[in-house]
Amino acid sequence: MKKIKAAGDEADGWEARSEEEIRQAKLWDAVDFAVKEIDNIDSAMIFEEGREWTRIWYELKLEKFTDPGIAVSIDELTAAKLLQLADQNSRVDPLLKEVMASQIEQGFVLPEGLRDCLVKFLRANGPAAEERTSKPELKNWCRNYMINHVAGLLCNQYDLDRKRGKETPTTVAASDIIYHAIGLKLGKPIGFGTIQNIIFDPDPSGKSVSQKNQKNFVDVKWAGLDSMFDDYDD
């Protein structure tokens, strides 16, 4: 296997643990576990639509749809919040348009706010793009979210370190498991060093890309959990 430089300033020549090494450590079932969790992320679909779409989907507690024939459920209050967010950030437009399109496609009457918005869109009188802010999407954010999500699950389930460092050169880490899981899922792996670099520390010190990645991850994670358990509030 080609030698790959790992994260940070670790010694050159690092590579993922082999399948044989992982099996000897009795951790190959962790690879199967990781593949299933990657499938779970894939099945959610909304993650692939972008960071803002996913975050707002969860924040507004919109119902997930997996069939083109099922409309996105939304009420007047939620529609008003969605429109407010769209006025502030042009990256919300794709979600806004999908909500309206799915409602119309299934013959539902749009909430008043969305109906007015649609009229403005059709008459080209919507909010001017230059009047709204649009934070740039984090490149490959869905992949990074998935890797960190699965890494956390592996740490909890199998008591693993998130990634290998100078202090843990001989152990199997979550990064090794994810390397093989992605290879099985996609048919070919991505670089082990890339995986190591994507996985952030739970409590990064200082301002860094890792810290920004963590904030993106945590924002979406908590919004998703809040949405998941919303039905239990009563």
Side-chain angles (χ1 to χ4, degrees), residues 2-149:
K2 182 179 179 181
K3 291 184 177 181
I4 302 171
K5 187 172 182 180
D9 59 355
E10 287 86 352
D12 204 357
W14 273 26
E15 58 184 26
R17 296 296 178 213
S18 67
E19 177 179 339
E20 181 181 355
E21 288 174 307
I22 293 176
R23 289 189 184 279
Q24 287 177 350
K26 302 186 185 304
L27 284 170
W28 193 254
D29 62 323
V31 175
D32 293 332
F33 172 85
V35 169
K36 291 178 181 177
E37 291 303 328
I38 291 172
D39 281 335
N40 288 339
I41 290 289
D42 280 349
S43 67
M45 289 179 62
I46 59 174
F47 288 91
E48 297 180 5
E49 300 295 344
R51 179 182 60 192
E52 292 301 302
W53 176 304
T54 304
R55 179 179 63 82
I56 292 168
W57 180 280
Y58 281 138
E59 285 184 0
L60 297 184
K61 300 178 175 57
L62 298 176
E63 291 185 9
K64 184 177 71 175
F65 64 98
T66 57
D67 187 324
I70 300 176
V72 182
S73 176
I74 191 166
D75 56 25
E76 292 280 359
L77 180 60
T78 305
K81 292 179 180 178
L82 179 58
L83 287 166
Q84 182 180 22
L85 291 169
D87 282 341
Q88 298 167 353
N89 187 347
S90 62
R91 288 199 177 276
V92 182
D93 284 353
L95 175 57
L96 174 61
K97 291 176 181 178
E98 176 57 34
V99 170
M100 292 190 294
S102 69
Q103 291 264 319
I104 293 171
E105 185 177 44
Q106 296 305 308
F108 294 114
V109 176
L110 288 173
E112 183 177 354
L114 293 184
R115 189 166 62 250
D116 293 341
C117 178
L118 179 59
V119 171
K120 289 181 180 179
F121 269 127
L122 294 174
R123 290 177 175 166
N125 290 324
E130 61 271 18
E131 295 177 358
R132 296 179 290 170
T133 60
S134 180
K135 296 180 180 179
E137 284 277 17
L138 179 67
K139 186 179 180 180
N140 294 323
W141 94 273
C142 180
R143 178 199 66 181
N144 297 355
Y145 180 94
M146 177 269 292
I147 287 175
N148 278 288
H149 172 74

Side-chain angles (χ1 to χ4, degrees), residues 144 148 162-163 196-202 204 210-211 213-215 217-218:
N144 297 355
N148 278 288
R162 288 177 178 269
K163 54 186 179 181
Q196 288 259 117
N197 280 316
I198 289 171
I199 297 176
F200 57 72
D201 295 322
S210 178
Q211 193 173 43
N213 289 348
Q214 183 189 31
K215 185 179 186 303
F217 174 82
V218 171

Side-chain angles (χ1 to χ4, degrees), residues 124-185:
N125 290 324
E130 61 271 18
E131 295 177 358
R132 296 179 290 170
T133 60
S134 180
K135 296 180 180 179
E137 284 277 17
L138 179 67
K139 186 179 180 180
N140 294 323
W141 94 273
C142 180
R143 178 199 66 181
N144 297 355
Y145 180 94
M146 177 269 292
I147 287 175
N148 278 288
H149 172 74
V150 176
L153 294 175
L154 287 167
C155 291
N156 293 332
Q157 187 78 8
Y158 295 92
D159 193 26
L160 300 175
D161 290 320
R162 288 177 178 269
K163 54 186 179 181
R164 284 194 281 126
K166 291 180 179 179
E167 298 79 10
T168 57
T170 60
T171 60
V172 175
S175 54
D176 296 292
I177 302 298
I178 291 170
Y179 173 85
H180 287 281
I182 290 176
L184 290 172
K185 174 65 179 174

